[in-house]
Amino acid sequence: MGKKSKHIFYLLTLIAFPLLTEAKTDSPAAKFLGTAAGYTYGGLRDYGISPLYYGGHHITGEAGYYLYKDSILFNIEAGFSHGTVRPSIYPGPDGSKMKSIKAGADINYMRYAGSIGERAKIFAGGIMVSRFGFYEHNNLMNSAKTNYIYSTINAGGKLTREIDAGSGRYMLLVTVDVPVLAFITRPAYSYIKPEGFLNHNTGNIRSFFSSIEISSINRFTGIGTNVEIERKLSNGNTVRLGYSWEFFDHKNSNRLKSALHGITIKKFFSL
């Protein structure tokens, strides 16, 4: 086993360990359907388009299914954002901008890993993160359109803490996750299709799978954070106000960096 393979094995073992540990006795599961809306400021530097950093405003929407127990946190979320990004430095008089469309889905599974005092709990586990991004420049020709698709296996942790011990109606939730293995499909440098599509004798499905790049933290780095304040309502539903920050850096001949800052309001409906 090579050095890189050993590192990947150790990281995946670290993710899997809390998932295999014996759970403590659970109370009945709480199940919710959730919807969210918000605002995101997102930016990127894609060297296949321009060395400049582009940033701009987006509207966002999310929906998901959530299952909470004393020892398990599980949720599936899907979301989108749409907006316009412009050069942050030297925008120039030509009105350069790009249409920005993003979509994503997360599968999150964590197990209880310990407590801090009587009011805080720690959960650890893994998150499967998938993202799609599409950009279209208004002034370019050959490289006007670009896109990316990636899925990552992330090591993650969550801290939950009751804010008021008396009523138990308010909760602080902090989540952090880091990708350890990534599956990426992106266009080659200054070309509109990924490398697997350059052989035009193959079909689109086969070309898609042959174009996937498998990378670890040496070529794909990132972090995701989420801080939320939750309030439980008298009817069993909950609302959350949250701030999220997400960053990734894909290091190849067509390097791509992207960062998102978002504020969302979520409503959870008890099932």
Side-chain angles (χ1 to χ4, degrees):
M1 183 183 293
K3 184 176 181 181
K4 179 179 177 181
S5 300
K6 287 183 179 179
H7 288 165
I8 294 175
F9 174 78
Y10 294 149
L11 289 169
L12 294 180
T13 302
L14 179 64
I15 296 174
F17 179 76
L19 308 185
L20 300 175
T21 56
E22 183 178 356
K24 65 177 184 178
T25 303
D26 277 329
S27 60
K31 301 176 183 179
F32 300 89
L33 291 179
T35 60
Y39 162 82
T40 298
Y41 186 88
L44 82 159
R45 178 177 280 115
D46 188 335
Y47 288 88
I49 300 176
S50 169
L52 298 180
Y53 183 84
Y54 281 72
H57 309 287
H58 299 68
I59 57 172
T60 63
E62 294 179 8
Y65 169 78
Y66 305 82
L67 184 150
Y68 299 138
K69 301 175 73 174
D70 290 339
S71 64
I72 296 174
L73 302 179
F74 172 78
N75 63 266
I76 301 175
E77 295 177 313
F80 76 93
S81 67
H82 181 275
T84 301
V85 293
R86 294 177 171 83
S88 298
I89 303 175
Y90 307 124
D94 58 354
S96 293
K97 61 182 180 180
M98 289 194 293
K99 177 171 64 176
S100 169
I101 299 174
K102 296 176 180 292
D106 297 349
I107 301 176
N108 187 326
Y109 186 92
M110 295 189 184
R111 299 290 290 267
Y112 174 78
S115 299
I116 302 176
E118 298 180 355
R119 299 166 63 183
K121 297 180 181 179
I122 299 175
F123 296 82
I127 304 174
M128 182 73 176
V129 175
S130 297
R131 295 288 183 267
F132 166 79
F134 171 82
Y135 298 91
E136 182 175 6
H137 201 286
N138 65 327
N139 285 336
L140 301 180
M141 296 294 290
N142 293 336
S143 59
K145 297 180 181 180
T146 188
N147 63 81
Y148 62 81
I149 302 173
Y150 72 81
S151 293
T152 59
I153 298 174
N154 295 17
K158 180 186 287 285
L159 170 70
T160 66
R161 187 181 188 279
E162 292 184 9
I163 297 178
D164 57 337
S167 67
R169 296 181 62 186
Y170 293 90
M171 185 83 70
L172 171 67
L173 304 98
V174 180
T175 307
V176 179
D177 61 273
V178 178
V180 296
L181 189 62
F183 306 85
I184 312 152
T185 300
R186 289 188 55 218
Y189 186 74
S190 297
Y191 193 77
I192 62 174
K193 290 184 179 293
E195 293 182 5
F197 285 81
L198 299 182
N199 181 359
H200 300 286
N201 295 323
T202 61
N204 286 339
I205 296 178
R206 185 175 177 182
S207 296
F208 174 80
F209 284 102
S210 64
S211 68
I212 295 176
E213 173 193 347
I214 301 177
S215 298
S216 186
I217 55 178
N218 61 324
R219 289 175 60 88
F220 189 96
T221 57
I223 187 171
T225 64
N226 193 28
V227 180
E228 296 175 302
I229 299 293
E230 176 182 277
R231 183 179 187 271
K232 296 180 181 180
L233 305 179
S234 58
N235 60 2
N237 300 335
T238 61
V239 292
R240 288 182 187 174
L241 175 64
Y243 166 76
S244 61
W245 177 66
E246 186 176 288
F247 168 81
F248 75 87
D249 181 5
H250 180 214
K251 307 177 185 70
N252 71 349
S253 59
N254 180 15
R255 190 170 184 177
L256 171 63
K257 295 182 179 181
S258 177
L260 300 172
H261 300 267
I263 298 175
T264 58
I265 298 176
K266 296 182 179 180
K267 178 70 177 290
F268 295 85
F269 301 90
S270 179
L271 297 178

